Amino acid sequence: MAGVSSDFDSTETHSDQRDERDEAPQFVLPLVVRIEKTDPPARTDALETAARAVLTLLADERSLGEGEDEGEWARAVRDWQDARIRKVVRRARGAEWRKASELPGITVTGEHAEVRVFPPVPLDGWPKELAKLQVSGTDLDDPEAPAEPAPGGPVLWMSPGLDMSAGKAMAQAGHGAQLAWWELSEAERAAWAASGFALSVRTAEPGRWAGLAASGLPLVRDAGFTEIAPGSATVIAEHPALTGK
């Protein structure tokens, strides 16, 4: 598991105990955020764009199907999801971003943020163009407090009790979006995709977080490889289709 401590390596887990997913070959979903020195994106914009990038890859026809109808990324996506849903966020600028953009993947844009998501790769099998990218300089801020989320829209609520770097939080937001995706019906997924995967990422007030945690909505518990303690609850995915299920 070389390099784990140096990456924004974030792995969803539902338990502190090992299970069969730990015994499977481990894959990672690479995400690269574009951060130019003079024009970085806002933190919330980057988090929301990363979450939408994960959903966009999951819904892409290249990630779907089996057998003769299998997309070119489908096997890698299945192998990745059969293990821990590990994600690593790195940053690129200038020529690094251009080289990363030449690799197979999908670039998703937000208000200003750009995030490119790539099909899963083995934990120790990163393409050289991505392996050399750095995580330093990935701290981002919001110049203004984010507005209230759109009424009735999906919201990924970040824990108010954890201090995470932007890269770590981007991976966590991606986990929350993915857990919500798994809970939706095909029709609900199609509707979300048709909206362009509209969503908001916000930090919950402590009282609201407590209520959400007791609601049965999808909740991410991190495996604790970096930054935060194992088992920490990081994100709760509130999707209107899941409320009351």
Side-chain angles (χ1 to χ4, degrees):
M1 213 171 278
V4 166
S5 63
S6 63
D7 293 327
F8 287 120
D9 183 325
S10 191
T11 305
E12 171 273 335
T13 180
H14 297 286
S15 168
D16 292 336
Q17 302 299 316
R18 292 180 64 84
D19 61 23
E20 63 273 10
R21 291 184 299 167
D22 296 301
E23 307 307 322
Q26 298 297 303
F27 289 76
V28 60
L29 187 77
L31 296 114
V32 176
V33 56
R34 183 178 185 180
I35 303 180
E36 300 292 343
K37 288 183 179 180
T38 59
D39 196 21
R43 180 185 174 99
T44 295
D45 187 16
L47 268 59
E48 293 173 346
T49 305
R52 289 174 47 238
V54 171
L55 293 167
T56 300
L57 180 129
L58 291 173
D60 192 280
E61 62 182 11
R62 289 167 289 184
S63 300
L64 304 174
E66 294 185 35
E68 294 182 357
D69 298 325
E70 182 176 86
E72 61 185 289
W73 299 343
R75 176 66 179 272
V77 171
R78 280 199 307 274
D79 288 345
W80 168 58
Q81 293 189 122
D82 284 345
R84 297 291 185 183
I85 55 169
R86 184 188 298 265
K87 301 176 181 71
V88 171
V89 177
R90 296 185 176 184
R91 59 95 172 154
R93 60 172 63 104
E96 293 174 334
W97 174 258
R98 291 191 292 274
K99 289 179 181 178
S101 297
E102 292 172 357
L103 297 177
I106 305 169
T107 297
V108 175
T109 59
E111 292 183 8
H112 182 62
E114 293 180 74
V115 175
R116 188 164 180 85
V117 60
F118 303 87
V121 298
L123 192 57
D124 57 355
W126 283 67
K128 65 180 185 300
E129 295 88 348
L130 303 182
K132 66 182 181 181
L133 296 179
Q134 302 297 312
V135 297
S136 60
T138 319
D139 290 331
L140 300 170
D141 297 309
D142 283 314
E144 300 178 356
E148 287 294 313
V155 184
L156 303 174
W157 294 102
M158 309 295 291
S159 169
L162 295 173
D163 182 17
M164 293 183 285
S165 65
K168 180 74 171 181
M170 288 171 67
Q172 296 294 313
H175 290 339
Q178 187 167 0
L179 292 188
W181 178 258
W182 284 351
E183 295 289 332
L184 297 177
S185 68
E186 289 300 324
E188 290 162 348
R189 290 179 178 182
W192 202 5
S195 76
F197 294 115
L199 57 82
S200 302
V201 177
R202 298 292 186 271
T203 298
E205 295 294 332
R208 184 166 202 164
W209 177 262
L212 289 165
S215 68
L217 290 168
L219 181 151
V220 177
R221 290 190 181 277
D222 191 62
F225 288 120
T226 60
E227 295 196 23
I228 57 178
S232 296
T234 59
V235 181
I236 297 172
E238 184 180 32
H239 191 289
L242 302 180
T243 304
K245 278 193 176 182

